[in-house]
Every structure is written in C-alpha cells, then in structure tokens.
Amino acid sequence: QVELTESGGGSAQAGGSLTLSCAATRSPSRYTNFCVGWFRRAPGKEREGVAALDSNGPVNYADSLKGRFTISQDKSKNIFYLQMNNLEPEDTATYYCAWKWGGWKPPPLDETSYNYWGQGTQVTVSS
C-alpha cells in the first residue's frame, strides 16, 4: 500500500515558479523499484501526464513542458518534487502525483500505468 500527499500548490503570476511536493508513505513491499508520475487536470480537460521518474534515475517529460518543469526525488525522505518555472495561465490545473511499483524506462506518462494516487493540489496561474 502506498499513500501519497501532495503539497505546494497555490497561486502564481505568469512567469513565476512553484514547487510541488509529493510525500510517499509505503508499506513494505517485495518490489524495490518504482515510478512516480506527476499529472494534471485542467478545467474541462482530461488528466494528462506531466513528468515521471524511475527510482533508478531516468526521467520523462511531456514534450510541451520540457525545459520548464523538472521532476526530482529525495530518496531519504521519500519526497518527490515538481519544479515548475516560467508558469503560464495554461498551467492552471489540479496536479496529482501517482505511484507504480516496478521500474520502467522511460517512466510512463499514461495514467493507466499507475496504481496509487494522491488527492491533488491546485495550481492557479494568473496573467
């Protein structure tokens, strides 16, 4: 079992930055590798993959977001981050982190690959 809690959402001006955090609490598992993904759902749109990482290091980004968003992990704390720079109003969405056991290269950006989800954190970017 894995529990995920997102934080760090809020309001920002266009061009600004926010860093989202995802704290993971997990029960002992026979698996050692995993993937964590960040997803978002904008009003009236389907949820989309933003960034993902494999616990061994590989990362993956949605093509449209490369260069602005960075995913990272603090293994010692089981916290996963999404650094968002140069924010745009189109980044307004609820952001979710998700977890799947097992490594994958590249780590997947499709939501069907993930088994555990956080409750989400709202990001609002104003122009």
Side-chain angles (χ1 to χ4, degrees):
Q1 186 70 16
V2 179
E3 294 186 1
L4 304 171
T5 305
E6 302 96 336
S7 62
S11 299
Q13 296 284 331
S17 299
L18 283 173
T19 300
L20 305 182
S21 299
C22 173
T25 304
R26 46 180 168 152
S27 303
S29 171
R30 60 190 176 97
Y31 298 104
T32 56
N33 298 327
F34 57 86
C35 292
V36 169
W38 281 98
F39 295 79
R40 68 183 184 184
R41 177 180 282 143
K45 295 187 177 181
E46 295 185 353
R47 188 157 55 186
E48 64 173 345
V50 172
L53 64 77
D54 177 288
S55 54
N56 288 320
V59 296
N60 192 14
Y61 296 96
D63 288 341
S64 61
L65 299 173
K66 284 181 182 177
R68 293 199 298 123
F69 288 15
T70 303
I71 189 171
S72 61
Q73 60 178 325
D74 183 331
K75 287 187 175 181
S76 65
K77 297 180 179 178
N78 273 335
I79 298 179
F80 305 87
Y81 302 98
L82 184 68
Q83 173 70 40
M84 306 185 294
N85 296 325
N86 195 18
L87 286 164
E88 303 171 354
E90 292 73 22
D91 296 320
T92 295
T94 302
Y95 284 73
Y96 302 87
C97 65
W99 177 291
K100 69 176 291 293
W101 285 111
W104 205 258
K105 299 175 181 57
L109 291 175
D110 63 288
E111 61 179 329
T112 60
S113 295
Y114 292 85
N115 309 109
Y116 302 96
W117 291 83
Q119 293 300 307
T121 186
Q122 178 66 35
V123 171
T124 302
V125 183
S126 57
S127 58

